[in-house]
Amino acid sequence: MNKIVVTKFGGSSLASAEQFRKVKAIIDSDENRRFVVPSAPGKRNSKDYKITDLLYLCHAHVQQGISFDDVFKLIIERYTQIISELSLTLDIMPYLNEVKEKLTSGASADYAASRGEYLNGLILSNFLDAEFVDAADVIFFDEFGNFDAEKTQATIKERLSNVHKAVIPGFYGSTPDGEIKTFSRGGSDFTGSVIARGVGADLYENWTDVSGFLMADPRIVENPKSIEKITYRELRELAYMGASVLHEEAIFPVRDVGIPINIKNTNAPQDPGTLIIADAGPIDHSGTITGIAGKKGFTVIAIEKTLMNSELGFCRRLLSILEMHGVAFENMPSGIDSVSLVIADSELKNKRDRIIEEIKRQCNPDSIEVHPNMALVATVGRGMAKTKGISAKLFDAMAKEKVNIRMINQGSSEINIIVGVESNDFEKAIKSIYKTFE
Ligand code: ASP
């Protein structure tokens, strides 16, 4: 039986004519690959520009009343070069002129940014000989600017049900009054997921420039292994700590209906990549882990009070102080008479001293200490809580490397042990954990 595969190609996969050819070879090699979601052209090398960034820049120039001709020229050049090197007959100039006119007359930043995907989609559909379906006609936001999943899914189902092959640009949709609105940066991943769900795909392939997720950040660990299979939940734990291959929200539309996501490499299509699935089968108790991720930039506020455990409302008061200051916390490990708040510095900003004063006033603690410059390191793996010896191994590895652990939290999550270390020890902690579980 035929399957339906939705493919999304990132900016680097569509940065040049050469990359377009690789994309065509991938699509042509499997007739199930029927729905294609492109990003805007990305960087061809490390010094290059992303078209999306140039479009935002054009918009900013208009806002400042400065000419954006020079920037727009770079955009024209990129698209026309791709078209001419692919020997396409498509005349893109009328489309580019329309974009320029609209930008000149004050079109929104979202409109500006979305044209990167729109124009790339036109070219790709021409090259692949597939129908072009404007995302503005199938992806919707409500009047408050929130993604309207229901209307979108119903429309995609209807609009694409009899279409054999289509290109739907990523990153944007439309509001009830017909304005263009984009998702957050990197949002084409989300579009791909929404399309996959709408057409009832068997698989969502996300093509990028790496062969899937690595077990650890390659800037910290030399040549880390890649992750073959990962569950949606494990990925959430890793993504939330800063893994950046896939847009954070892209798993949600497909997760509920169990469509797997395969992260693949356009430049090495033979590599299996990483498969993201609902359930990886029976838990492996061999003591392996799936990945390690971490983030710097946290402050820990450690509070002690005798008989805290029996004092009614202590934590409620504590948390309402954070809420009052509009500060979200990352973690809250606790002991019998102590509790710590782990807060990202980006949340805390300059509110720290006020919050501490308020805690002293309302909670009357015996002591309150502030530890800045903390980093969190999450070790993620299925069945970690049910496998003997995992934490012993983890802590032993860090002790050997003389990493001072300031905080430990396993929470209710079976798949994640988080340790807090000083920022100076961050890299050392990740390296030592990787080495011991490698
Ligand atoms: N082109 C957009 C960006 O650079 C969206 C995407 O690539 O997914 O953020």
Side-chain angles (χ1 to χ4, degrees):
M1 212 184 77
N2 281 349
K3 295 201 162 140
I4 302 179
V5 179
V6 169
T7 56
K8 179 261 166 179
F9 290 88
S12 58
S13 300
L14 291 163
S16 65
E18 189 194 344
Q19 293 301 83
F20 266 72
R21 283 196 197 95
K22 291 183 192 168
V23 167
K24 185 168 164 48
I26 289 165
I27 298 294
D28 289 350
S29 68
D30 182 349
E31 60 177 32
N32 297 328
R33 292 182 173 132
R34 289 175 39 200
F35 302 104
V36 187
V37 176
S39 280
K43 294 182 182 189
R44 289 160 291 190
N45 54 61
S46 57
K47 293 198 184 71
D48 202 10
Y49 303 102
K50 286 179 75 164
I51 291 293
T52 312
D53 293 335
L54 295 180
L55 286 160
Y56 277 122
L57 196 59
C58 289
H59 177 262
H61 275 58
V62 177
Q63 295 297 302
Q64 303 283 322
I66 313 168
S67 158
F68 65 97
D69 284 357
D70 288 348
V71 185
F72 203 75
K73 222 172 108 200
L74 296 173
I75 299 172
I76 298 178
E77 273 168 19
R78 181 80 78 92
Y79 284 118
T80 49
Q81 190 181 353
I82 291 173
I83 290 176
S84 86
E85 286 180 21
L86 294 176
S87 311
L88 300 177
T89 51
L90 174 71
D91 183 7
I92 197 82
M93 277 322 291
Y95 297 99
L96 281 161
N97 289 336
E98 188 191 337
V99 173
K100 192 165 183 204
E101 260 163 46
K102 289 213 169 139
L103 284 177
T104 311
S105 50
S108 69
D110 279 18
Y111 170 83
S114 74
R115 296 305 88 182
E117 271 69 12
Y118 173 78
L119 295 163
N120 224 23
L122 286 171
I123 300 173
L124 188 62
S125 66
N126 188 277
F127 186 46
L128 297 178
D129 203 14
E131 189 175 326
F132 176 80
V133 176
D134 190 349
D137 298 334
V138 291
I139 305 264
F140 301 109
F141 294 85
D142 65 18
E143 70 261 46
F144 308 108
N146 299 316
F147 172 58
D148 187 339
E150 225 168 280
K151 185 175 170 194
T152 299
Q153 298 305 344
T155 310
I156 291 174
K157 200 165 167 200
E158 207 198 302
R159 175 70 181 82
L160 296 181
S161 63
N162 291 318
V163 175
H164 179 65
K165 195 175 266 188
V167 172
I168 311 103
F171 194 36
Y172 71 91
S174 59
T175 63
D177 52 11
E179 294 296 316
I180 295 291
K181 184 169 166 52
T182 62
F183 296 113
S184 58
R185 294 299 305 263
S188 301
D189 287 341
F190 187 76
T191 307
S193 188
V194 167
I195 300 288
R197 179 172 182 151
V199 300
D202 298 277
L203 179 66
Y204 169 30
E205 288 179 341
N206 190 289
W207 292 83
T208 175
D209 53 4
V210 289
S211 294
F213 297 108
L214 299 171
M215 273 182 70
D217 187 336
R219 287 166 300 187
I220 300 175
V221 170
E222 206 181 311
N223 258 329
K225 286 191 201 145
S226 28
I227 302 175
E228 242 172 81
K229 268 189 197 167
I230 185 168
T231 63
Y232 300 122
R233 265 195 72 195
E234 287 173 308
L235 183 65
R236 272 299 291 158
E237 301 285 344
L238 289 171
Y240 143 89
M241 298 295 290
S244 61
V245 176
L246 190 71
H247 190 281
E248 225 181 44
E249 283 162 35
I251 58 171
F252 298 128
V254 290
R255 185 179 67 172
D256 300 348
V257 286
I259 301 170
I261 308 174
N262 197 359
I263 308 287
K264 296 276 288 175
N265 188 348
T266 303
N267 304 318
Q270 69 288 352
D271 287 358
T274 299
L275 194 63
I276 309 165
I277 39 182
D279 178 4
I283 289 173
D284 171 4
H285 288 292
S286 62
T288 53
I289 58 162
T290 307
I292 311 156
K295 215 166 158 182
K296 291 183 183 174
F298 292 96
T299 292
V300 175
I301 302 178
I303 302 146
E304 274 189 28
K305 187 175 187 188
T306 312
L307 296 178
M308 181 193 287
N309 63 336
S310 54
E311 182 178 327
L312 271 183
F314 186 89
C315 280
R316 182 186 47 74
R317 281 199 298 280
L318 191 60
L319 296 183
S320 65
I321 294 169
L322 292 188
E323 191 175 351
M324 212 173 71
H325 287 85
V327 168
F329 69 95
E330 199 77 6
N331 241 294
M332 193 169 77
S334 65
I336 296 284
D337 283 339
S338 65
V339 62
S340 294
L341 295 167
V342 184
I343 305 171
D345 294 340
S346 53
E347 281 287 321
L348 206 51
K349 293 182 200 121
N350 49 8
K351 300 172 187 165
R352 192 183 84 176
D353 294 345
R354 262 178 290 148
I355 288 175
I356 288 169
E357 274 319 302
E358 201 60 31
I359 295 175
K360 282 186 186 157
R361 204 174 62 77
Q362 287 196 40
C363 302
N364 201 16
D366 297 338
S367 77
I368 176 161
E369 278 178 25
V370 178
H371 307 284
N373 299 323
M374 295 287 289
L376 296 183
V377 176
T379 306
V380 173
R382 298 178 279 283
M384 280 198 338
K386 296 201 178 104
T387 310
K388 293 184 191 75
I390 289 244
S391 31
K393 237 171 124 177
L394 186 94
F395 297 125
D396 196 41
M398 284 192 276
K400 273 195 191 121
E401 294 296 328
K402 302 204 168 34
V403 174
N404 189 14
I405 301 169
R406 300 291 294 266
M407 183 208 99
I408 302 170
N409 196 5
Q410 182 161 15
S412 64
S413 156
E414 269 184 27
I415 55 169
N416 195 345
I417 296 178
I418 296 177
V419 295
V421 299
E422 272 161 30
S423 287
N424 288 342
D425 281 341
F426 178 68
E427 282 83 6
K428 218 172 15 166
I430 292 187
K431 274 189 198 150
S432 66
I433 301 171
Y434 181 82
K435 212 162 84 193
T436 197
F437 287 105
E438 194 181 8

